Amino acid sequence: LEDTGGTGLNVSSTNTVDFYAGPTGIYKINDDLASTTAIAGDRTMLTISRFDQYNNVVDIGVDTVYLYDNAPVGTTAFYNAASEGTQISSALILDGSSSVDVWFVGNQSGSWTVSASDNIDAPDALGISDDVIYVDITPADTARLELNDPGDMFNGTRLGYTVTRYDAFDNLVTAGSENYYLYSNATGTSTAFYDAAIDGTLIDNISIEDGQSTANFWYYESENGIWTVYVSDNSGGPDGADRRGGPATGQAA
């Protein structure tokens, strides 16, 4: 205020003006991070926050956030809790809150986009600005071993096998070095395993090295018959009692 009339009166004055956020104009996932990581089968928490068009936090009113991803159909899900809970396709940001937490789980390894949108049908560029985050899913621990079928062999020769490791969702596992043991149910004493098709070294186990999903070995047998070749993580013999759900097997005739 200004005393333009020269009254000499005290015209000084102050007043507080409260500015509130406008309506929701922007969604942000994990504080607008570009990407996050997850392990196949594990739930990953995503925090979806709301802001007005000037990036002021909005905590008034209720907004419905619809959830989408571009992973293969049937390989992902959203939940409202870190464990158990309910599978959801949308979440509410309630009055008095500026965000909501959801949990994303995917079973197929790869880099997939997760979108938060105000559109009930699909992500769009209308209304509230959508946000997208990339979720990089890596395979889980080895859960299954698989041997190829190289066919039959003549006795006294070597037959080449390839063992491949998978997680519980059939993703190829390449992380970490793991050791596996080789067995046969042949009844003779000539059974042998080698690390090469010719010459090489006698072995009773193989390693799949870090960065690899497979390893090769060669089976030698001079006893006639139809025999089963096993590869297992059990050093005492092939079994089906551990987390891998049993040994990998292959036939040699």
Side-chain angles (χ1 to χ4, degrees):
L1 299 176
E2 183 179 356
D3 184 11
T4 57
T7 65
L9 296 174
N10 183 1
V11 294
S12 64
S13 178
T14 61
N15 187 35
T16 299
V17 180
D18 295 324
F19 288 90
Y20 296 99
T24 301
I26 304 168
Y27 287 141
K28 294 182 181 181
I29 304 174
N30 283 13
D31 201 24
D32 212 22
L33 288 178
S35 64
T36 189
T37 59
I39 297 173
D42 289 352
R43 297 188 190 185
T44 298
M45 188 178 77
L46 302 175
T47 298
I48 303 170
S49 304
R50 57 180 174 175
F51 301 83
D52 69 9
Q53 62 177 320
Y54 305 107
N55 276 319
N56 297 304
V57 173
V58 176
D59 59 7
I60 296 175
V62 177
D63 282 315
T64 301
V65 183
Y66 297 95
L67 307 169
Y68 303 97
D69 67 82
N70 71 341
V73 175
T75 65
T76 62
F78 294 95
Y79 289 89
N80 62 359
S83 62
E84 299 182 349
T86 303
Q87 188 171 335
I88 59 174
S89 59
S90 65
L92 295 177
I93 304 179
L94 300 176
D95 188 46
S97 179
S98 62
S99 64
V100 64
D101 294 332
V102 300
W103 284 261
F104 173 75
V105 59
N107 295 339
Q108 185 163 320
S109 61
S111 183
W112 313 112
T113 60
V114 172
S115 302
S117 177
D118 63 328
N119 187 4
I120 194 172
D121 296 318
D124 63 5
L126 303 175
I128 299 173
S129 295
D130 299 347
D131 195 21
V132 173
I133 190 170
Y134 286 90
V135 180
D136 298 319
I137 297 178
T138 58
D141 292 338
T142 302
R144 179 172 66 86
L145 301 173
E146 182 176 286
L147 281 175
N148 67 324
D149 181 7
D152 296 337
M153 65 188 294
F154 290 103
N155 60 354
T157 64
R158 299 183 191 182
L159 185 64
Y161 280 93
T162 298
V163 57
T164 305
R165 56 180 175 173
Y166 298 87
D167 69 8
F169 310 102
D170 289 333
N171 298 303
L172 289 171
V173 177
T174 58
S177 178
E178 295 178 316
N179 194 60
Y180 303 110
Y181 301 91
L182 305 172
Y183 304 98
S184 168
N185 69 345
T187 56
T189 59
S190 61
T191 295
F193 296 98
Y194 290 89
D195 62 0
I198 300 174
D199 297 328
T201 303
L202 277 169
I203 58 174
D204 61 6
N205 65 88
I206 58 170
S207 290
I208 302 180
E209 302 300 332
D210 185 41
Q212 302 296 317
S213 62
T214 63
N216 299 318
F217 66 90
W218 284 260
Y219 172 56
Y220 173 86
E221 186 62 65
S222 63
E223 186 81 9
N224 287 338
I226 298 177
W227 314 117
T228 301
V229 175
Y230 300 88
V231 58
S232 175
D233 68 329
N234 186 9
S235 62
D239 66 5
D242 66 348
R243 64 183 175 86
R244 290 178 172 79
T249 62
Q251 295 290 333

